[in-house]
């Protein structure tokens, strides 16, 4: 899907430039248009379907109180990446 292709390129670019230092590992699954990102205290599963990006975010104990702010930041970055 076009959304997956754009998102993958943007994530790879940001990781390469050190702009997503919180991500320790990212795996792209081209056949299913999905990705999995892991970092200290979190794991995110991203699925791209026609016209939508679905994110399943699992936060560790210390990050849970900041869930709202993290989700807001993630939403803003996704919207920016897909413009």
């Amino acid at each position: 899907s076009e959304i997956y292709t754009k998102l993958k390129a943007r994530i790879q670019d940001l990781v390469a430039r050190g702009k997503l230092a919180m991500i320790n590992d990212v795996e792209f699954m081209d056949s299913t248009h999905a990705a999995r990102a892991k970092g200290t205290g979190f794991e995110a599963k991203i699925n791209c379907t026609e016209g939508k990006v679905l994110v399943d975010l699992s936060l560790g104990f210390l990050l849970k109180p900041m869930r709202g702010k993290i989700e807001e930041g993630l939403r803003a970055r996704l919207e920016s990446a897909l413009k």
Side-chain angles (χ1 to χ4, degrees), residues 25-52:
D25 181 48
V26 64
E27 175 186 3
F28 296 99
M29 292 148 285
D30 294 339
S31 63
T32 59
H33 297 154
R36 182 176 31 239
K38 293 181 183 180
T40 304
F42 79 93
E43 181 175 345
K45 296 175 186 170
I46 304 164
N47 291 298
C48 299
T49 60
E50 291 306 318
K52 292 184 183 179

Side-chain angles (χ1 to χ4, degrees), residues 1-15 20 26 28 33-35 45-49 52-55 74 77-83:
S1 90
E2 182 181 344
I3 288 177
Y4 173 76
T5 303
K6 280 184 178 181
L7 190 59
K8 179 180 177 181
R10 183 69 171 146
I11 291 171
Q12 288 175 324
D13 177 58
L14 290 171
V15 169
L20 294 176
V26 64
F28 296 99
H33 297 154
K45 296 175 186 170
I46 304 164
N47 291 298
C48 299
T49 60
K52 292 184 183 179
V53 177
L54 304 172
V55 179
L74 181 59
R77 282 195 175 216
L78 285 171
E79 287 174 0
S80 172
L82 297 173
K83 284 185 179 179

